[in-house]
Amino acid sequence: MKLLKHLFDRNLEWADEIKRKEPGFFSKLSRQQAPEYLWIGCSDSRVPANQIVDLPPGEVFVHRNIANVVVHTDLNCLSVIQYAVDVLKVKHIIVCGHYGCGGIKAAMDRTEHGLIDNWLRHIKDVGRLNVEELRGLGHEEKLDLLCELNVKEQVSNVCNTTIVQNAWKRGIELAIHGWIYNIENGILKDLDACIT
Ligand code: CO
């Protein structure tokens, strides 16, 4: 018996629909991927990279983790960035956060969440680095602003990786963008944090 049969059924329908619209789509895609974008986003199920920007398979290389954090010692994230920049030669790296991020909320409350508290430390650092900007705001405003500040901080972290620094030194055209997504209306906002 196939487990989660409904998901396999949906998969067949989805693949058929794509093949009906564009015969040869999968065979063409199977030969190579050439995405222009690397998406670094939150693991949140409400923020699926391809769907938000309405792009089909093959167009976005994706890394997601809780609260879209780029940590300089995270081999997973760094490997994704390196492969995307050096091998796939993406032209844009998009760090996309979202309002209502559970990771940001959890970092700001004072309860314990287990292992993840170690990961959320990085968000607490963003709060500490921006303590003046966050001071005096109401709880919701503070969380929203921290979601934005976190994106900007992670954009800066991407820029400071040896991978991106070396790419720029080699004269490669590569832009790092900071975006935020509103889960209440499905709209993306550019935080004007783009660095080239
Ligand atoms: Co989130």
Side-chain angles (χ1 to χ4, degrees):
M1 191 188 81
K2 203 174 264 175
L3 297 173
L4 299 176
K5 184 177 177 301
H6 61 294
L7 295 186
F8 287 89
D9 292 343
R10 294 182 69 105
N11 166 251
L12 280 182
E13 279 169 33
W14 171 80
D16 282 346
E17 177 71 13
I18 289 182
K19 283 180 270 193
R20 195 180 53 76
K21 281 190 194 146
E22 195 185 330
F25 176 85
F26 289 108
S27 52
K28 193 179 95 200
L29 204 56
S30 68
R31 286 191 288 274
Q32 75 166 111
Q33 63 165 336
E36 270 194 33
Y37 315 99
L38 163 60
W39 175 281
I40 299 174
C42 184
S43 298
D44 194 306
S45 64
R46 298 165 295 181
V47 195
N50 284 64
Q51 275 165 288
I52 288 175
V53 284
D54 197 21
L55 286 175
E59 303 290 324
V60 195
F61 201 61
V62 176
H63 178 79
R64 289 167 68 181
N65 62 40
I66 291 174
N68 41 272
V69 179
V70 176
V71 180
H72 291 301
T73 50
D74 177 4
L75 271 183
N76 183 354
C77 184
L78 292 178
S79 301
V80 171
I81 296 174
Q82 196 242 320
Y83 190 77
V85 171
D86 292 345
V87 181
L88 296 174
K89 307 199 183 305
V90 298
K91 298 206 167 53
H92 304 272
I93 299 178
I94 297 154
V95 177
C96 185
H98 67 104
Y99 296 118
C101 182
I104 304 279
K105 261 186 227 166
M108 286 297 102
D109 67 31
R110 294 205 163 83
T111 49
E112 282 183 30
H113 309 89
L115 173 71
I116 194 182
D117 288 327
N118 298 284
W119 184 253
L120 297 176
R121 222 23 281 166
H122 300 291
I123 310 287
K124 286 183 194 280
D125 288 343
V126 176
R128 189 168 43 77
L129 287 168
N130 295 280
V131 71
E132 287 305 325
E133 251 192 279
L134 293 161
R135 199 190 301 279
L137 296 178
H139 185 63
E140 291 303 317
E141 273 179 302
K142 198 181 211 170
L143 287 177
D144 284 351
L145 181 58
L146 190 55
C147 289
E148 294 180 2
L149 292 169
N150 180 49
V151 169
K152 291 179 182 171
E153 186 66 23
Q154 307 316 324
V155 164
S156 154
N157 285 345
V158 172
C159 293
N160 286 319
T161 59
T162 53
I163 304 147
V164 170
Q165 289 289 319
N166 285 331
W168 282 337
K169 267 183 213 157
R170 296 198 304 273
I172 284 165
E173 231 175 272
L174 179 64
I176 321 300
H177 308 262
W179 296 356
I180 195 145
Y181 175 74
N182 190 332
I183 49 173
E184 287 178 10
N185 61 16
I187 303 298
L188 270 176
K189 184 169 85 180
D190 192 329
L191 289 173
D192 286 325
C194 181
I195 299 175
T196 55

